[in-house]
Amino acid sequence: MPKAIGFAAQAADQALEYFEFERRDPTADDVEIEIAYCGVCHSDLHQARNEWGGTVFPCVPGHEIVGKVTRVGNKVSKYKVGDTVGVGCMVDSCRTCANCEDGYEQYCDNGFVGTYNGEDKHMGGVTFGGYSNRITVAQDFVLKVSDKLDLAGVAPLLCAGITTYSPLRHWGVTKGHKVGVVGLGGLGHMAVKIAKAMGAEVVLFTTSPNKVDDAKRLGADHVVISKDEEQMKAWRNSLDFILNTVAAPHDLDAYLTLLRLDGTMTLVGVPAESHPSPAVFNLIAKRRSLAGSLIGGIAETQEMLDFCAEHGITSDIEMIAMDEINEAYERMLKSDVKYRFVIDMATLKQK
Ligand code: NAP
Ligand code: ZN
Ligand code: ZN
């Protein structure tokens, strides 16, 4: 079996460090990928530190993977050696439940297999993710990546891109809509770009005054400092849709009151502790909805990658070496990310 190297957390309270393990040889249906870049999602930090519970250690995070195909099984028809491909948050699902059949593998009734910390049906134990030099994945969970775009900037589309694209599509965001995006981090900056490309008027809400210029450069039509009550008041009852990407518990009422009649706020951020419950009155007063959304299905992820290629959208990244990952996590906790860390896997060396 091929040897792999990567970075793993050995326990919730330990820094990530060098780790050696094995990948499976490709089965008939598998694609083996040499990883070029892997994005750093806030979910990696939540899970490496066991903030959601259920992390099995050692944990090799990483689910924003791009690279080149190095081997394929004899039943693989979609990919060949040398192709540029991506892998996102899922590497398998039951493929037979109603949701899987409808292309909603992320809502698989039997639980999808996460790219890391998922049940590894081939090797036993849990799956290991993209903070590593290679990965073997079933062809149906591999995505085609356009050679036209900067590959490192594409990596974050595999989670941050699809997690924002899917709800924007599902709630029908289009020209003429006023759309709020809360938080300008990895997910938030993709939401701004994608909502803008869908034709919406985009209002970005941030706690960081130093991000105002960037938000405008990224496509926001308006930027609101969310700690400033006067600025917030000016947007009451006006937004059709809000995508809330914040990774920490906060007051949801401050945003719900900005929705117009029948408006929806969709949560994609998953803080370690729950948000305080919003006031029912703010929901009933304008028939508002509070919703949630999880990544996106495989077909929709391909649709998003094609949409981004067509609109020239990639992530704004800060490239890091593999051994800078722990520092990157600390900066992420301070909202100091512009706007996604991406690991250059060429910096990961055998010890
Ligand atoms: P990130 O890059 O760290 O961005 C989060 C942003 O939230 C920060 O940049 C900051 O933006 C804002 N923020 C942070 N702490 C805040 C606080 N205390 N109060 C208000 N705003 C705060 O994280 P990410 O990678 O985008 O992920 C965001 C969340 O989505 C995480 O919880 C992650 O686990 C989750 N996630 C969910 C899915 C899904 O399928 N639903 C998929 C991927 C990730 P400002 O500086 O602009 O305020
Ligand atoms: Zn993610
Ligand atoms: Zn299923």
Side-chain angles (χ1 to χ4, degrees), residues 248-263:
H250 61 280
D251 172 25
L252 300 179
D253 285 312
Y255 296 102
L256 285 171
T257 51
L258 308 186
L259 292 170
R260 56 181 294 169
L261 176 66
D262 288 331

Side-chain angles (χ1 to χ4, degrees), residues 42-43 46 184 186-187 206-208 211 245 268 270 293 295 340:
H42 206 114
S43 303
H46 288 309
L184 195 68
L187 267 55
T206 181
T207 59
S208 308
K211 293 183 183 172
T245 74
V268 286
V270 191
S293 183
I295 48 176
R340 196 59 142 185

